[in-house]
Amino acid sequence: MTNIFEEKKRKQEAINSAMSKIKHVIAVASGKGGVGKSTVAANLALSLAKKGYRVGLADADIYGPSIPTLFNIENEQVMAAEIDGKQLMLPFEKFGIKLMSVGFFVDKERPMLWRGPMAANTLTQMLTETHWGELDFMILDMPPGTGDIQLTLVQQFSVSGALFVCTPQQLAVADVRRAVNMFKNDQIAIPVLGLVENMAYFTPKELPNNKYYIFGKGGTEALAKELDVELISQIPISLDISETNDSGNPISLDFSSPEAESFMHLADIVIEKTNIK
Ligand code: ADP
């Protein structure tokens, strides 16, 4: 009979060795889906790369993997190669970052029916069996919510810090409270880098200095205070973000857009908080 403690230890050692060339894993989490978690993860990854860091973006959102769409690689095939005697998957390289997504391993037509341990195992395998090489940052696009899968991921991958994406609508705010508390739990104790409020305001192109808080103002700020975390970034709702997402050319590729500036600012904060040189 296999000793489960031995097996767990072996598994953790394999994970540690696979991740040993990655300086910081930053989890991008959310209480629920559809709040713009992948948008933030993708644009943060691109902004960090623009600053010269070596970046990987791992899409672990089993419920709605959107990285293949955001980077227009949906119809690509995952290739493998033998590296140091091991068969490893090769990440896609696009716009200066390395990409891998659970979306390549699930059937789009069918809803995800994996139960917790099976999903966690698949994600662990995807992360550890990809040839990431040396990275300064791995941005981990987490599955939304606060279940066992999320817990397993953050515990196994020694996450340096977590960002929480929420929107000003009340429901998302209530969900994020649960998610932040999961990370802050004594047994998990992952540093919470802060809240990112997505779709926070609207700025019409012809009035670039105006901010209209169409979904309400101040809710996320109050929540951040209550949870004792920082509200580190507010991203506008913008047709350009949505259109560039759909076309597979995330907004941060356009250096001059004000939205790209918001993500660049977020990258600066992540760099500062992880104290990376
Ligand atoms: P999640 O990863 O939380 O499920 P996504 O990043 O996939 O969310 O975004 C959900 C939808 O909202 C997508 O269609 C995306 O293009 C759109 N979206 C996200 N952020 C914004 C924004 N700031 N402005 C406009 N549309 C956005």
Side-chain angles (χ1 to χ4, degrees):
M1 203 164 70
T2 347
N3 179 330
I4 56 165
F5 295 109
E6 280 297 316
E7 193 167 320
K8 207 171 159 197
K9 198 171 144 210
R10 249 201 317 276
K11 193 166 155 192
Q12 189 61 52
E13 279 167 4
I15 293 172
N16 295 348
S17 120
M19 305 302 279
S20 63
K21 294 184 187 149
I22 299 175
K23 286 192 190 154
H24 288 293
V25 178
I26 306 292
V28 182
S30 69
K32 63 168 197 167
V35 297
K37 175 179 50 56
S38 302
T39 304
V40 170
N43 285 289
L44 169 63
L46 289 169
S47 304
L48 289 166
K50 221 188 281 177
K51 287 178 177 290
Y53 293 98
R54 297 163 299 177
V55 182
L57 173 58
D59 178 9
D61 185 352
I62 38 168
Y63 305 113
S66 31
I67 296 303
T69 310
L70 293 185
F71 287 83
N72 194 17
I73 51 171
E74 279 169 301
N75 299 318
E76 305 284 323
Q77 291 289 322
V78 177
M79 309 292 268
E82 192 174 308
I83 291 146
D84 298 334
K86 273 191 226 145
Q87 271 299 112
L88 292 177
M89 295 184 288
L90 300 174
F92 296 96
E93 300 212 30
K94 198 153 183 192
F95 309 137
I97 63 179
K98 293 183 176 171
L99 302 161
M100 186 49 76
S101 169
V102 70
F104 292 112
F105 311 102
V106 299
D107 185 346
K108 262 203 284 185
E109 307 305 318
R110 281 193 231 153
M112 176 48 62
L113 290 175
W114 289 338
R115 303 221 173 266
M118 198 171 157
N121 276 337
T122 304
L123 292 175
T124 301
Q125 205 176 342
M126 176 189 86
L127 291 166
T128 54
E129 294 182 13
T130 295
H131 180 54
W132 296 104
E134 303 227 347
L135 294 181
D136 296 308
F137 291 102
M138 173 190 275
I139 307 300
L140 182 55
D141 187 356
M142 295 277 292
T146 49
D148 288 348
I149 305 168
Q150 291 82 349
L151 272 179
T152 308
L153 274 184
V154 294
Q155 283 178 313
Q156 284 182 336
F157 287 93
S158 49
V159 168
S160 301
L163 290 174
F164 288 89
V165 182
C166 59
T167 64
Q169 287 97 324
Q170 211 45 47
L171 228 184
V173 165
D175 274 338
V176 89
R177 184 179 280 125
R178 253 197 312 273
V180 171
N181 283 332
M182 173 181 92
F183 279 73
K184 288 181 90 180
N185 176 301
D186 284 348
Q187 281 167 9
I188 309 290
I190 304 273
V192 174
L193 304 181
L195 294 188
V196 177
E197 186 181 28
N198 188 28
M199 312 195 207
Y201 58 86
F202 175 69
T203 295
K205 280 212 164 70
E206 60 283 9
L207 294 169
N209 296 320
N210 290 22
K211 289 180 177 174
Y212 297 99
Y213 292 84
I214 47 184
F215 299 121
K217 192 181 174 192
T220 312
E221 220 170 323
L223 178 77
K225 264 208 190 95
E226 176 203 319
L227 294 171
D228 194 22
V229 297
E230 252 179 272
L231 171 57
I232 51 173
S233 180
Q234 290 183 302
I235 312 286
I237 183 162
S238 126
L239 187 59
D240 285 352
I241 292 185
S242 134
E243 282 179 354
T244 52
N245 274 353
D246 291 345
S247 72
N249 293 288
I251 190 89
S252 290
L253 295 171
D254 172 7
F255 297 148
S256 61
S257 70
E259 293 89 344
E261 259 172 51
S262 305
F263 289 114
M264 211 43 149
H265 176 64
L266 177 61
D268 282 333
I269 294 173
V270 169
I271 292 164
E272 186 197 313
K273 289 198 177 245
T274 47
N275 201 12
I276 196 166
K277 293 285 174 296

Coordinates of all heavy atoms in Angstrom, one line a residue, residues 28-43 59 61 63-67 70 141-142 144 165 167 197-201 235-246 251 259 263, ligand 1:
V28 N -4.1 35.8 -9.6 CA -5.1 36.7 -9.9 C -6.4 36.0 -9.6 O -6.8 35.1 -10.3 CB -5.0 37.3 -11.3 CG1 -6.1 38.3 -11.5 CG2 -3.6 37.9 -11.5
A29 N -7.1 36.4 -8.6 CA -8.3 35.7 -8.1 C -9.5 36.6 -8.2 O -9.4 37.8 -8.3 CB -8.0 35.2 -6.7
S30 N -10.7 35.9 -8.0 CA -11.9 36.7 -7.9 C -13.0 35.9 -7.2 O -12.8 34.6 -7.1 CB -12.4 37.1 -9.3 OG -12.9 36.0 -10.0
G31 N -14.0 36.6 -6.7 CA -15.0 35.8 -6.0 C -15.9 35.1 -6.9 O -16.4 34.0 -6.7
K32 N -16.1 35.7 -8.1 CA -17.0 35.0 -9.1 C -16.4 35.3 -10.5 O -15.6 36.1 -10.7 CB -18.4 35.5 -9.0 CG -18.6 37.0 -9.2 CD -20.1 37.3 -9.4 CE -20.2 38.7 -10.1 NZ -21.6 38.9 -10.5
G33 N -17.0 34.6 -11.5 CA -16.5 34.7 -12.8 C -17.1 35.9 -13.5 O -18.1 36.5 -13.0
G34 N -16.5 36.3 -14.6 CA -17.1 37.4 -15.4 C -16.7 38.8 -14.9 O -17.3 39.8 -15.5
V35 N -15.9 38.9 -13.9 CA -15.6 40.3 -13.4 C -14.3 40.9 -14.1 O -14.0 42.1 -13.9 CB -15.3 40.3 -11.9 CG1 -16.6 39.9 -11.2 CG2 -14.1 39.4 -11.5
G36 N -13.7 40.2 -15.0 CA -12.5 40.7 -15.7 C -11.2 40.2 -15.1 O -10.1 40.8 -15.4
K37 N -11.2 39.1 -14.4 CA -10.0 38.5 -13.9 C -9.0 38.2 -14.9 O -7.8 38.6 -14.8 CB -10.4 37.2 -13.1 CG -9.3 36.5 -12.5 CD -9.8 35.3 -11.7 CE -10.8 34.4 -12.5 NZ -10.3 33.9 -13.8
S38 N -9.4 37.5 -16.0 CA -8.5 37.2 -17.1 C -8.0 38.4 -17.8 O -6.8 38.5 -18.2 CB -9.1 36.3 -18.1 OG -9.6 35.1 -17.5
T39 N -8.8 39.4 -18.0 CA -8.4 40.6 -18.6 C -7.3 41.3 -17.8 O -6.3 41.7 -18.3 CB -9.6 41.6 -18.7 OG1 -10.7 40.9 -19.4 CG2 -9.3 42.9 -19.4
V40 N -7.5 41.3 -16.5 CA -6.4 41.9 -15.6 C -5.2 41.1 -15.7 O -4.1 41.6 -15.8 CB -7.0 42.0 -14.2 CG1 -5.9 42.4 -13.2 CG2 -8.1 43.1 -14.1
A41 N -5.3 39.7 -15.6 CA -4.1 38.8 -15.6 C -3.3 39.0 -16.9 O -2.1 39.2 -16.8 CB -4.6 37.4 -15.4
A42 N -4.0 39.1 -18.0 CA -3.4 39.2 -19.3 C -2.7 40.5 -19.4 O -1.5 40.6 -19.9 CB -4.4 39.0 -20.4
N43 N -3.3 41.6 -19.1 CA -2.7 42.9 -19.3 C -1.6 43.2 -18.2 O -0.7 43.9 -18.5 CB -3.8 44.0 -19.2 CG -4.6 44.0 -20.5 OD1 -4.1 44.4 -21.6 ND2 -5.8 43.5 -20.5
D59 N -3.2 30.0 -17.3 CA -4.7 30.1 -17.2 C -5.2 28.8 -16.6 O -5.3 27.8 -17.2 CB -5.2 30.3 -18.6 CG -6.7 30.3 -18.7 OD1 -7.4 30.4 -17.6 OD2 -7.3 30.3 -19.8
D61 N -8.2 28.8 -15.1 CA -9.6 29.0 -14.9 C -10.4 27.9 -15.6 O -10.9 28.0 -16.7 CB -10.0 30.3 -15.3 CG -11.5 30.6 -15.0 OD1 -12.2 29.7 -14.6 OD2 -11.9 31.8 -15.2
Y63 N -13.3 26.9 -15.2 CA -14.7 27.2 -15.5 C -15.0 28.1 -16.7 O -16.0 28.1 -17.3 CB -15.4 27.8 -14.2 CG -15.2 27.0 -13.0 CD1 -14.4 27.5 -12.0 CD2 -15.8 25.8 -12.9 CE1 -14.2 26.7 -10.8 CE2 -15.6 25.0 -11.7 CZ -14.8 25.5 -10.7 OH -14.7 24.8 -9.6
G64 N -13.9 28.8 -17.1 CA -14.1 29.7 -18.2 C -12.8 30.2 -18.7 O -12.4 31.3 -18.6
P65 N -11.9 29.2 -19.2 CA -10.6 29.7 -19.6 C -10.6 30.6 -20.8 O -11.1 30.3 -21.9 CB -9.9 28.3 -20.1 CG -11.1 27.4 -20.3 CD -12.2 27.8 -19.6
S66 N -10.2 31.9 -20.6 CA -10.4 32.8 -21.7 C -9.0 33.3 -22.3 O -9.0 34.0 -23.3 CB -11.2 34.0 -21.3 OG -11.1 34.3 -19.9
I67 N -7.9 32.8 -21.8 CA -6.6 33.2 -22.3 C -6.4 32.9 -23.8 O -6.0 33.7 -24.6 CB -5.5 32.7 -21.4 CG1 -5.6 33.4 -20.0 CG2 -4.1 33.0 -22.0 CD1 -5.6 34.9 -19.9
L70 N -8.2 35.6 -25.6 CA -7.5 36.9 -25.4 C -6.2 37.0 -26.3 O -5.8 38.1 -26.6 CB -7.2 37.2 -24.0 CG -8.4 37.4 -23.0 CD1 -7.9 37.7 -21.6 CD2 -9.3 38.4 -23.5
D141 N -3.8 32.9 -13.5 CA -5.3 33.2 -13.6 C -6.1 32.1 -13.0 O -6.3 31.0 -13.5 CB -5.6 33.3 -15.1 CG -7.0 33.9 -15.4 OD1 -7.7 34.1 -14.5 OD2 -7.3 34.0 -16.6
M142 N -6.5 32.4 -11.8 CA -7.1 31.4 -10.9 C -8.6 31.1 -11.3 O -9.3 31.9 -11.9 CB -7.2 31.9 -9.5 CG -5.8 32.1 -8.8 SD -5.2 30.6 -8.1 CE -6.3 30.3 -6.8
P144 N -12.4 31.2 -10.5 CA -13.1 32.1 -9.5 C -13.6 31.3 -8.3 O -13.8 30.1 -8.5 CB -14.2 32.7 -10.4 CG -14.4 31.7 -11.5 CD -13.1 31.1 -11.7
V165 N -9.7 40.7 -8.1 CA -10.4 41.5 -9.1 C -11.9 41.5 -8.7 O -12.5 40.5 -8.4 CB -10.3 41.0 -10.5 CG1 -11.0 41.9 -11.5 CG2 -8.8 40.9 -10.8
T167 N -15.8 44.0 -9.2 CA -16.4 45.1 -9.9 C -17.3 45.9 -8.9 O -17.5 45.4 -7.8 CB -17.3 44.6 -11.0 OG1 -18.4 43.8 -10.4 CG2 -16.6 43.7 -12.0
E197 N -10.2 47.1 -8.8 CA -11.6 47.3 -9.1 C -11.7 47.5 -10.6 O -11.2 48.4 -11.2 CB -12.2 48.5 -8.4 CG -13.6 48.7 -8.6 CD -14.2 49.9 -7.9 OE1 -13.5 50.9 -7.8 OE2 -15.4 49.9 -7.6
N198 N -12.3 46.5 -11.3 CA -12.5 46.5 -12.7 C -13.8 47.2 -13.1 O -14.8 47.0 -12.3 CB -12.3 45.1 -13.3 CG -12.3 45.2 -14.8 OD1 -11.8 46.1 -15.4 ND2 -12.8 44.1 -15.5
M199 N -13.9 47.8 -14.2 CA -15.1 48.5 -14.7 C -15.5 49.5 -13.6 O -16.7 49.7 -13.4 CB -16.2 47.4 -14.9 CG -15.8 46.3 -15.8 SD -17.1 45.3 -16.4 CE -16.4 43.7 -16.6
A200 N -14.5 50.2 -13.0 CA -14.8 51.1 -11.9 C -15.5 52.3 -12.4 O -16.3 52.9 -11.7 CB -13.5 51.4 -11.3
Y201 N -15.2 52.8 -13.6 CA -15.7 54.1 -14.0 C -15.7 54.1 -15.6 O -15.1 53.3 -16.2 CB -15.0 55.3 -13.5 CG -13.5 55.3 -13.8 CD1 -13.0 55.9 -15.0 CD2 -12.6 54.7 -12.9 CE1 -11.7 55.8 -15.3 CE2 -11.2 54.7 -13.3 CZ -10.8 55.3 -14.5 OH -9.5 55.2 -14.8
I235 N -9.7 50.1 -12.8 CA -9.6 50.0 -14.3 C -11.0 50.5 -14.8 O -12.0 50.0 -14.4 CB -9.4 48.5 -14.7 CG1 -8.2 47.9 -13.9 CG2 -9.2 48.4 -16.2 CD1 -6.8 48.3 -14.2
P236 N -11.0 51.3 -15.9 CA -12.2 51.8 -16.4 C -13.0 50.7 -17.2 O -12.3 49.7 -17.7 CB -11.8 52.9 -17.3 CG -10.4 52.6 -17.7 CD -9.8 51.9 -16.6
I237 N -14.3 50.9 -17.4 CA -15.0 50.0 -18.3 C -14.8 50.7 -19.7 O -14.9 51.9 -19.8 CB -16.5 49.9 -17.9 CG1 -17.2 49.0 -18.9 CG2 -17.2 51.2 -17.9 CD1 -18.5 48.4 -18.4
S238 N -14.5 49.9 -20.7 CA -14.1 50.5 -21.9 C -14.4 49.6 -23.1 O -14.1 48.4 -23.0 CB -12.7 50.9 -21.9 OG -11.9 50.4 -22.9
L239 N -15.0 50.2 -24.1 CA -15.3 49.4 -25.3 C -14.0 48.9 -25.9 O -13.9 47.8 -26.5 CB -16.0 50.3 -26.3 CG -16.6 49.6 -27.6 CD1 -17.5 48.5 -27.2 CD2 -17.3 50.6 -28.5
D240 N -12.9 49.7 -25.8 CA -11.6 49.3 -26.4 C -11.1 48.0 -25.7 O -10.5 47.2 -26.3 CB -10.6 50.4 -26.3 CG -10.9 51.5 -27.3 OD1 -11.7 51.3 -28.2 OD2 -10.2 52.6 -27.2
I241 N -11.3 48.0 -24.4 CA -10.8 46.8 -23.7 C -11.6 45.6 -24.2 O -11.0 44.5 -24.5 CB -11.0 46.9 -22.1 CG1 -10.1 48.0 -21.6 CG2 -10.8 45.6 -21.4 CD1 -10.0 48.1 -20.1
S242 N -12.9 45.7 -24.3 CA -13.7 44.6 -24.7 C -13.4 44.2 -26.1 O -13.3 43.0 -26.5 CB -15.2 44.9 -24.4 OG -16.0 44.6 -25.5
E243 N -13.3 45.2 -27.0 CA -13.0 44.8 -28.4 C -11.6 44.2 -28.6 O -11.4 43.3 -29.4 CB -13.1 46.1 -29.3 CG -14.6 46.4 -29.5 CD -14.8 47.7 -30.4 OE1 -13.8 48.4 -30.7 OE2 -16.0 47.9 -30.7
T244 N -10.6 44.8 -27.9 CA -9.2 44.2 -28.1 C -9.2 42.8 -27.5 O -8.5 42.0 -28.0 CB -8.2 45.1 -27.4 OG1 -8.6 45.4 -26.1 CG2 -8.0 46.4 -28.2
N245 N -9.9 42.6 -26.4 CA -10.0 41.2 -25.9 C -10.6 40.3 -26.9 O -10.0 39.2 -27.1 CB -11.0 41.2 -24.7 CG -10.4 41.5 -23.4 OD1 -9.2 41.7 -23.3 ND2 -11.2 41.7 -22.3
D246 N -11.6 40.7 -27.6 CA -12.3 39.8 -28.5 C -11.4 39.5 -29.8 O -11.4 38.5 -30.4 CB -13.6 40.4 -29.0 CG -14.7 40.3 -27.9 OD1 -14.4 39.6 -26.9 OD2 -15.7 41.0 -28.0
I251 N -5.4 45.2 -24.8 CA -5.3 46.7 -24.8 C -3.9 47.1 -24.5 O -3.4 48.1 -25.0 CB -6.3 47.3 -23.9 CG1 -6.4 48.8 -24.1 CG2 -6.1 47.0 -22.4 CD1 -7.4 49.3 -25.1
E259 N -6.1 53.1 -20.9 CA -6.4 51.8 -20.2 C -5.1 51.1 -20.0 O -4.8 50.6 -18.9 CB -7.3 50.9 -21.1 CG -8.7 51.4 -21.2 CD -8.9 52.3 -22.5 OE1 -7.9 52.8 -23.0 OE2 -10.1 52.6 -22.9
F263 N -3.0 49.6 -16.5 CA -2.4 48.3 -16.2 C -0.9 48.4 -15.9 O -0.3 47.7 -15.2 CB -2.7 47.4 -17.4 CG -4.1 46.9 -17.5 CD1 -4.9 47.3 -18.6 CD2 -4.6 46.1 -16.5 CE1 -6.2 46.9 -18.6 CE2 -6.0 45.7 -16.6 CZ -6.8 46.1 -17.6
Ligands
ADP1 P1 -13.2 36.6 -15.9 O1 -11.9 36.1 -16.1 O2 -13.4 37.2 -14.5 O3 -14.3 35.6 -16.2 P2 -12.9 38.2 -18.3 O4 -11.6 38.9 -18.2 O5 -13.0 37.0 -19.2 O6 -13.5 37.8 -16.9 O7 -14.0 39.3 -18.8 C1 -15.4 39.0 -18.9 C2 -15.9 39.8 -20.1 O8 -15.9 41.2 -19.7 C3 -15.1 39.7 -21.4 O9 -16.0 39.7 -22.4 C4 -14.2 40.9 -21.4 O10 -13.9 41.3 -22.7 C5 -15.1 42.0 -20.7 N1 -14.4 42.9 -19.9 C6 -13.5 42.7 -18.9 N2 -13.0 43.9 -18.4 C7 -13.6 44.9 -19.1 C8 -13.5 46.3 -19.0 N3 -12.7 46.9 -18.1 N4 -14.2 47.0 -19.9 C9 -15.0 46.4 -20.8 N5 -15.1 45.1 -20.9 C10 -14.4 44.3 -20.1

